[in-house]
Amino acid sequence: MSATQPAVIVDVDPSNFETEVLQASLETPVLVDFWATWCGPCKSLGPLLEKLAGEYAGAFRLAKVDVDKNQELAAMFGIRSVPTVMLVKDGQILDGFAGALPEGALREFLGRYVQPAEPAPEAAPAAAETPEQAINRLQQAIAAEPDRAELKLELAEALMRAGQTAAAEAELEALPANLATDARAVRLRSQLELVRALEGAPSRQALEQRIAADPDDWAARELLGIRLLLEGEPAAGLEQFLTILERARDWNDGAARKRLLQAFATLDDAALVGQYRRRMASLLF
């Protein structure tokens, strides 16, 4: 950062509020975080806001206000509880929220007003981090900052990528309530349920042979669909679930619908998910 470039995160008090918030907001949106040292939710929200401020690389500034030390500023904004966050632009409050939001909701909130800065081109691409390297990095980060619950969610994801499903599940179950409903946590739970369903299951070849011998072997179709999904052939896997839904909707208490919904939660391909959601709806309604 150059000497003339303003910091993206700054502590604010009455002496610098006009400069760091009101005047600064004439050029860049300012997110004002009202927090307190005794506030539990602040300990999860604050690091997320700081992470996003760094990621957005100057697209917005984060001004942090300790309400215990700056009661005058808290009163001026009518702060009734912490954490409370206000977005200031052109000297005016545009929007805000109270309470700790998960990362996905924070990104959605910011996306209404600012976009991440374009990253500077790198001289050479960095080597991709392996799941094992990510696990080691995150475990060290958690040891240094045990209150940063979002690191534990990232660790659960890394453990899942490494195939350590039991450890991933343990980290997932230990998440605080504000992260338990995060989109990434929901995805992990769906992945874990699909992986557990394959425990002790026959091989792909054996399942295909069973279906060839009996096309109405719905148990084999369900397991084959899960295998295909987890082995990188999502469309083929979804087709197996749709076949069950079309021809035996109520089999095993509607298992095909359940598997389709789990699959949708794990897939990043919005177009593929949309296509199969429509096909599922046409069969159900």
Side-chain angles (χ1 to χ4, degrees):
M1 184 179 294
S2 69
T4 58
Q5 184 178 0
V8 295
I9 303 174
V10 62
D11 290 320
V12 171
D13 56 37
S15 68
N16 65 356
F17 176 80
E18 182 174 355
T19 301
E20 300 292 353
V21 176
L22 296 181
Q23 291 183 11
S25 75
L26 299 178
E27 298 182 0
T28 306
V30 179
L31 207 61
V32 187
D33 174 24
F34 293 91
W35 66 284
T37 55
W38 47 262
C39 166
C42 298
K43 294 177 182 179
S44 62
L45 179 65
L48 277 178
L49 293 175
E50 293 173 16
K51 171 188 171 182
L52 292 173
E55 181 180 318
Y56 275 59
F60 74 91
R61 301 184 72 205
L62 177 62
K64 298 182 69 66
V65 179
D66 184 334
V67 296
D68 289 332
K69 296 179 180 179
N70 300 284
Q71 296 181 17
E72 179 183 344
L73 289 179
M76 184 173 71
F77 276 82
I79 303 303
R80 297 177 180 270
S81 64
V82 288
T84 292
V85 176
M86 301 284 187
L87 182 71
V88 180
K89 186 175 182 181
D90 296 327
Q92 303 292 325
I93 298 174
L94 279 189
D95 204 346
F97 61 86
L101 298 182
E103 184 171 340
L106 287 175
R107 290 183 183 277
E108 181 181 353
F109 175 84
L110 286 170
R112 301 173 201 160
Y113 308 103
V114 295
Q115 295 299 320
E118 289 294 328
E122 296 181 0
E129 185 180 48
T130 67
E132 290 74 18
Q133 289 171 333
I135 291 168
N136 183 59
R137 172 178 58 80
L138 289 163
Q139 287 175 336
Q140 292 182 21
I142 290 168
E145 300 181 84
D147 290 334
R148 288 189 61 187
E150 71 276 5
L151 291 175
K152 298 175 183 178
L153 176 53
E154 291 181 36
L155 176 59
E157 292 178 306
L159 289 165
M160 191 68 183
R161 291 195 298 272
Q164 299 182 35
T165 54
E169 185 171 16
E171 291 293 340
L172 195 59
E173 293 304 316
L175 290 176
N178 67 305
L179 284 179
T181 55
D182 184 275
R184 293 176 298 164
V186 172
R187 171 175 294 186
L188 275 178
R189 286 195 188 88
S190 294
Q191 289 175 333
L192 284 166
E193 288 185 27
L194 291 169
V195 170
R196 279 197 296 265
L198 282 184
E199 292 176 356
S203 67
R204 173 173 173 172
Q205 182 179 10
L207 292 169
E208 290 172 340
Q209 290 173 349
R210 281 174 53 178
I211 294 169
D214 179 8
D216 293 342
D217 187 339
W218 309 126
R221 282 195 183 276
E222 179 189 25
L223 291 172
L224 179 59
I226 296 172
R227 280 208 178 279
L228 291 167
L229 185 71
L230 295 179
E231 293 172 6
E233 299 180 50
L238 293 171
E239 285 293 342
Q240 296 297 329
F241 302 145
L242 277 180
T243 298
I244 301 172
L245 188 67
E246 181 178 14
R247 294 162 54 187
R249 177 189 303 189
D250 297 326
W251 173 77
N252 198 17
D253 294 326
R257 179 180 178 275
K258 175 184 176 182
R259 296 305 185 198
L260 281 164
L261 294 176
Q262 288 174 339
F264 296 156
T266 67
L267 295 172
D268 288 322
D269 190 334
L272 182 69
V273 170
Q275 174 188 347
Y276 279 88
R277 277 192 186 279
R278 289 189 293 272
R279 290 179 61 185
M280 181 181 78
S282 70
L283 292 174
L284 291 175
F285 306 107

